[in-house]
Amino acid sequence: MAILLQSSYFRFWSDHFKQRVSTKQKYIAVFKRFEAFLIKAGFEGTLDFNQFHASREHPGRYLPIQRSFIDRFVFDLKQQYDSDRLIADTITSLKRFFEFLHDMDMIEHNPMIGYPRPKFESPIQNTSLSKEECLAILKAALYKNPFYRQEFVFIWFMLVTGLRISEIRSLRRKRLNLKTRIAHVFEAQKTDSRPVAIPSYLVIELERYVQHPEYLAYANQGDEYLFHHQGKKMTVHTITRMLHDLAQDAGVSRHIRPHDLRRTAAYLMQMGGMNIVDIQHQLRHKNLGTTLRYVPPLADLSRILNEPENGIY
């Protein structure tokens, strides 16, 4: 028996849902759990959230769906599933669904206004590279193109600055001040615009890189992307493919994603003696708790990275 999934609420929501198909399926899974509870609670007939609760004292009088019913649903979920993540995701999806219906004037009362979402932090999987893997990939990049060295500089830049892939793709040459050793991140950032420090040894390589004839062929008074493909922004596919090919050349069997370099940067910073607050500022995390999830306890670092060497070569 389908109640919610055959309702006008669901059809209207489905017609206006513009996110990815995979995201939509996650919402539908939540709706099915809520629908199963409706059936379990004995609901029959056409779903009407505006006339959901019948009055025992006054036949024919109804009330909109109340928060108490949502509480019963959440309690039932907790009895069935031993998963904080499932509970949290279910509440979040249902809150957004009722917010949408209320915003579209399809319901008079939103039963989930201010409804608390259980605190749940999904663990960040440790996918950082070891020091040996970093050096092997950098050497592979240097060997692949010892003259222009774009891939070499790109990866080294990511490992040092910890920029997100969207940020490094959008970084303009004019945002890079090699004299002060600062990169100003304005585009594609998830947090407030903040400067990123660049060490002196990387500055030397960047100065050589931006003066190379292959780079200058597409220079545009500093407004060009720092890392580009014939003057155009590098695509995520291009970067992913670059990492795949370099990993193969370096003899690294694992799959490397662009964000793995950002996570590796956090480990390298801590191994280099940087305190956690400075790492937070370099990664531009709004909350320190996010940074703490990127770096393991110091006692565990020895199993991940060895002592860093002074130079790359």
Side-chain angles (χ1 to χ4, degrees), residues 90-150:
T90 298
I91 291 175
T92 297
S93 298
L94 210 57
K95 282 184 69 173
R96 291 174 180 170
F97 177 63
F98 277 111
E99 286 171 2
F100 170 79
L101 297 181
H102 190 260
D103 289 343
M104 296 294 106
D105 294 324
M106 296 192 72
I107 59 175
E108 300 171 359
H109 169 69
N110 180 357
M112 299 195 72
I113 291 180
Y115 203 93
R117 181 182 186 272
K119 291 184 178 180
F120 173 76
E121 290 188 344
S122 56
I124 295 179
Q125 184 181 5
N126 173 27
T127 57
S128 66
L129 303 175
S130 68
K131 191 198 75 169
E132 290 77 14
E133 288 172 329
C134 290
L135 291 174
I137 290 173
L138 284 168
K139 288 177 181 178
L142 189 60
Y143 179 80
K144 186 173 183 179
N145 191 333
F147 303 106
Y148 185 31
R149 302 187 187 179
Q150 185 186 58

